[in-house]
Amino acid sequence: MELAPAGTVFSGMPKGNADLLIVHAAELIRCSGARDGIRRSDLERLELIADGALAIGSGRILAVGSTEELLRAYTAPRIIHASGRLVSPSFVDPHSHLVFGGSRHLDYEAKVTQRRPGRALAGGIGFTARATSTTSDDELIRRALADLDAMLVHGTTTLEAKTGYGVSVEEELRLLRLTAGLRHTVDVVPTFLALHVLPEDYAGRRDRWIQEITDALPEAAGLARYCDVSCDPVCFTFDECLRVGEAARSLGMKIRVHADQTGDANGAALAARLAASAADHLDYANPPGLRALATSGTVATLLPGVALHLCELTPGIRDDQLVAAEKPFLPMLVRQAIAAGAVVALSTDYNPGSCPTVSMQVVMQLAARLFRLGYAEIWNMCTLNAARALDLADDRGSLEVGKRADVLVWTVPEHGMVINRFGSNLVDTVIAGGQVVVEAGRIARGEPTRGTAK
Ligand SMILES: [Zn+2]
């Protein structure tokens, strides 16, 4: 159902009842577009409604239009006056490693100063995996819920969360159970990251790990919506990922792929071959792979926070010795993905090593500077296209009639200011599923945001 053209709707009709009205928005952006994702030059379009308004009922969007139209058509027990403020869809963040122990801040200093960590400080994913294995369930849950609170006040209401820090199959399944058991206002979509990096105890025994993790897939399929595999020169090969991905698909799991982050492993082509929902990173993806993603409808999820954190601002300055090949110029690669017709999304990749930010606002700001993307492109990539990366574009990601009422009211009046004004949280109000859950930048009093099924 679409809203009728302005001026012809609602006149002479009795008023409808809404639960909540937002009126007099300085600018309301819908981020609407094709349900299979916004592509190519359509990314540069952003429908703006001046003096915009939104009606919400039963957790869904009832109407979007001008304030005059909606006040004529609806009454509601609560009205939010958004004069001088931007109103937008909330963020969908489609790639995170939410549940982990320890911190990698010492690792980061060693990286930026180009001093390698000493043995006692040995960093990397292995460090996080060991720290996670010695952290209790309760502590991992406490930390994850605190991170979800922080994401919520920064405007994220849907988050993909993957495992991947298990030192063993049992540990991977523990992390998956904890992730799937999280209960929070932020809707958490669990992913079993079957192939991340080879656990240290399995050095020289790759086939053993792949067999054990494959054997765990039936249990994982009961807990996770997705299975993820890392197709990368320092992780797993095309054939290894294909084997695990096909096993997961045969169990009804949908697929995500960490693809070509540190070199070209043909990960984009693998994601297309598996009809994956998303292929993420893609820093070294080859042009045929990007075209294959466009054909398969696999969302290309780009992670500018990782580019910043790994010192990959320009080619040739990366100090990570894992990478031998010259780094592609990322703004050009992003343009190649868009020109190929791929659905491009953005995400934090929240994790302790390569991107410890919870904020999609930071991601937007970095995407503009590091990837040279325009404001409309960035908004579309963080909303509807991000929802498409989680197969949720029919339900959320834009302000359209019938969708989940996941809405942000900002402290600034225009969408470009969110991207230009870096470094502080500009979200004032968060509405999730029709409920006001953040007010004046803080979690609303009495709002039961958190818990666990454990
Ligand atoms: Zn990741």
Side-chain angles (χ1 to χ4, degrees):
M1 184 169 63
E2 287 290 337
L3 190 66
T8 62
V9 72
F10 308 130
S11 55
M13 294 167 60
K15 285 195 177 189
N17 293 318
D19 298 328
L20 175 65
L21 282 172
I22 303 172
V23 297
H24 293 305
E27 186 180 280
L28 182 146
I29 56 172
R30 300 179 66 164
C31 302
S32 56
R35 290 291 196 270
D36 63 352
I38 305 171
R39 305 180 192 228
R40 293 197 175 90
S41 59
D42 287 348
L43 282 165
E44 295 165 27
R45 295 198 196 108
L46 200 61
E47 187 187 343
L48 311 178
I49 303 174
D51 196 14
L54 196 68
I56 294 168
S58 302
R60 297 274 153 183
I61 296 171
L62 298 175
V64 188
S66 72
T67 297
E68 187 186 355
E69 286 171 339
L70 265 63
L71 283 179
R72 207 186 308 144
Y74 285 96
T75 59
R78 182 168 184 188
I79 298 179
I80 293 176
H81 291 267
S83 46
R85 297 174 184 274
L86 167 72
V87 171
S88 77
S90 63
F91 296 123
V92 175
D93 187 350
H95 183 143
S96 86
H97 302 250
L98 178 66
V99 178
F100 60 85
S103 170
R104 298 256 291 281
H105 60 284
L106 298 175
D107 207 2
Y108 184 61
E109 186 196 28
K111 199 173 288 176
V112 297
T113 58
Q114 303 207 350
R115 292 194 294 266
R116 305 307 302 170
R119 188 172 289 271
L121 291 183
I125 290 170
F127 174 89
T128 296
R130 287 191 299 277
T132 303
S133 70
T134 57
T135 305
S136 69
D137 289 3
D138 287 346
E139 177 62 7
L140 289 173
I141 290 168
R142 187 195 65 75
R143 289 173 53 137
L145 292 173
D147 287 341
L148 288 167
D149 283 351
M151 289 174 183
L152 185 65
V153 298
H154 285 82
T156 298
T157 54
T158 302
L159 176 80
E160 186 265 10
K162 51 184 113 247
T163 63
Y165 293 126
V167 293
S168 64
V169 171
E170 295 71 35
E171 181 70 358
E172 272 294 301
L173 289 169
R174 176 176 81 112
L175 298 177
L176 180 58
R177 273 184 228 106
L178 294 178
T179 303
L182 292 169
R183 295 291 175 267
H184 195 276
T185 300
V186 176
D187 188 17
V188 176
V189 178
T191 293
F192 185 57
L193 178 43
L195 298 183
H196 189 195
V197 294
L198 188 68
E200 290 167 348
D201 285 354
Y202 286 78
R205 298 188 299 150
R206 298 174 68 81
D207 286 347
R208 178 75 181 270
W209 173 256
I210 291 168
Q211 189 57 53
E212 287 185 15
I213 206 79
T214 303
D215 292 344
L217 286 174
E219 184 171 350
L223 295 163
R225 200 176 301 172
Y226 294 97
C227 175
D228 199 335
V229 291
S230 296
C231 187
D232 190 278
V234 300
C235 300
F236 292 89
T237 67
F238 184 102
D239 289 340
E240 289 166 343
C241 291
L242 185 65
R243 178 177 151 200
V244 174
E246 285 186 335
R249 267 169 54 112
S250 72
L251 293 164
M253 300 178 88
K254 290 175 177 286
I255 306 299
R256 321 186 70 76
V257 178
H258 282 66
D260 307 325
Q261 181 190 353
T262 70
D264 181 5
N266 223 12
L270 171 90
R273 169 99 171 253
L274 288 168
S277 297
D280 301 4
H281 290 287
L282 296 167
D283 302 46
Y284 288 84
N286 57 56
L290 294 175
R291 290 195 291 275
L293 295 180
T295 304
S296 66
T298 300
V299 175
T301 308
L302 306 175
L303 311 167
V306 179
L308 178 83
H309 212 71
L310 293 182
C311 314
E312 294 170 327
L313 299 180
T314 54
I317 71 158
R318 180 169 175 157
D319 62 344
D320 189 330
Q321 298 307 307
L322 290 172
V323 179
E326 182 76 353
K327 183 85 183 171
F329 185 53
L330 287 175
M332 199 175 296
L333 184 125
V334 174
R335 282 293 150 209
Q336 282 176 354
I338 293 170
V343 178
V344 177
L346 293 164
S347 170
T348 57
D349 188 9
Y350 174 63
N351 75 82
S354 61
C355 194
T357 183
V358 296
S359 172
M360 285 293 282
Q361 295 172 60
V362 167
V363 166
M364 293 177 122
Q365 293 148 7
L366 294 177
R369 181 65 280 185
L370 303 184
F371 293 169
R372 305 189 183 186
L373 289 165
Y375 294 159
E377 291 175 311
I378 291 169
W379 273 100
N380 286 322
M381 290 175 182
C382 292
T383 52
L384 189 70
N385 281 6
R388 172 69 182 74
L390 292 176
D391 302 294
L392 290 171
D394 286 335
D395 184 63
R396 62 194 75 173
S398 59
L399 301 184
E400 294 179 270
V401 172
K403 284 198 170 181
R404 234 178 86 114
D406 292 345
V407 187
L408 303 178
V409 182
W410 296 81
T411 59
V412 292
E414 295 181 34
H415 69 280
M417 295 171 74
V418 171
I419 298 170
N420 178 239
R421 293 193 170 193
F422 70 93
S424 60
N425 183 12
L426 300 170
V427 167
D428 179 87
T429 301
V430 181
I431 295 161
Q435 301 296 312
V436 177
V437 292
V438 172
E439 290 176 295
R442 291 166 172 265
I443 290 175
R445 276 216 340 229
E447 172 57 28
T449 58
R450 45 168 44 196
T452 173
K454 182 171 164 270

